[in-house]
Amino acid sequence: MNFATFDASYVNKLRAGDAPTEQHFITYFSELILLKLRSRLRSQEQIEDVKQETFSRALSLIRSEGGLRHAERLGPLVNSICNNVLMEQYRVSNRVEALEDDAAERLVETGSDALNMVNTDDTRKVVRHILNRLNERDRNILQAVFLDERDKDEVCVELGVDRDYLRVLLHRAKGSFRAMYSKRADAKRFPVGA
């Protein structure tokens, strides 16, 4: 692997959201992060979660005012963010206790009742409402991957991105959806004027 050096121009392009620069950033650091995480995490899903969270935090920090003052420190920044996310993953993994199969089966409701059907219908309406309020790119990505369950390679070709960058776009779109959903839930919980 060839190690890259980064300059202010590169960081400014990342800050501005330049797609080819973001693509290079994701591809370059994906290799390094995978090397680090393969020996430290058990599942591919955990590796992907840590990697996506690392990219999300790194790009947020880079784009924040005064976030990265020295472009040559981009590599160490991504590495330290990855270390922090990895430590958080360890803490979460240690807190989770696996349920025995018998106990889990007793806790799962298998039948559907009227309340569940109404809740499911309401949930669908809320999801559609929030999707319609997202920007077109986020809405289309979430629609294609989660609702239409289209093949991710097909979505990549349509968007002109690779799988690694699609994961970043999905992560952002889910974040936007989550923020709107939370805002809606908070508005219902704490109505203005109540």
Side-chain angles (χ1 to χ4, degrees):
M1 165 165 220
N2 294 328
F3 291 100
T5 55
F6 303 99
D7 58 13
S9 159
Y10 186 89
V11 171
N12 287 336
K13 287 179 184 176
L14 278 178
R15 240 181 229 128
D18 179 62
T21 307
E22 281 185 13
Q23 183 67 41
H24 175 267
F25 175 79
I26 301 297
T27 303
Y28 177 78
F29 282 105
S30 285
E31 286 184 58
L32 296 171
I33 290 171
L34 287 175
L35 286 171
K36 176 185 213 105
L37 299 179
R38 277 190 192 125
S39 63
R40 292 175 172 90
L41 293 172
R42 286 177 246 137
S43 74
Q44 186 62 34
E45 185 177 295
Q46 287 177 321
I47 291 171
E48 285 301 317
D49 287 347
V50 170
K51 187 171 80 166
Q52 291 310 313
E53 185 62 24
T54 299
F55 286 136
S56 176
R57 290 182 189 185
L59 288 170
S60 291
L61 182 67
I62 290 166
R63 291 182 178 137
S64 68
E65 193 171 322
L68 179 64
R69 290 179 284 253
H70 304 284
E72 66 277 3
R73 295 186 186 155
L74 181 62
L77 172 74
V78 173
N79 185 50
S80 66
I81 290 172
C82 183
N83 288 340
N84 289 335
V85 174
L86 182 60
M87 294 311 292
E88 290 171 15
Q89 180 70 33
Y90 286 155
R91 282 192 288 272
V92 168
S93 295
N94 288 336
R95 273 188 265 155
V96 175
E97 294 179 23
L99 289 173
E100 292 180 43
D101 289 338
D102 294 342
E105 286 174 16
R106 280 184 271 134
L107 294 174
V108 174
E109 172 62 44
T110 55
S112 82
D113 59 13
L115 182 59
N116 284 339
M117 291 181 346
V118 168
N119 283 339
T120 301
D121 191 45
D122 286 347
T123 302
R124 280 192 192 109
K125 288 177 184 173
V126 169
V127 167
R128 288 281 176 206
H129 176 75
I130 292 171
L131 277 175
N132 288 333
R133 294 186 60 211
L134 292 175
N135 69 49
E136 184 178 357
R137 184 178 191 179
D138 288 349
R139 180 176 54 249
N140 290 342
I141 288 171
L142 293 174
Q143 173 81 35
V145 174
F146 294 111
L147 299 178
D148 298 342
E149 296 180 357
R150 290 178 46 205
D151 181 61
K152 288 183 181 175
D153 290 327
E154 181 183 311
V155 175
C156 286
V157 169
E158 187 177 299
L159 296 174
V161 299
D162 67 15
R163 288 290 289 254
D164 285 330
Y165 193 59
L166 178 64
R167 286 186 190 100
V168 172
L169 294 175
L170 272 170
H171 184 77
R172 287 183 193 158
K174 288 191 292 188
S176 297
F177 182 91
R178 199 175 298 121
M180 281 193 182
Y181 186 86
S182 294
K183 215 182 278 187
R184 179 182 171 90
D186 289 344
K188 281 191 166 198
R189 215 173 325 152
F190 308 108
V192 176

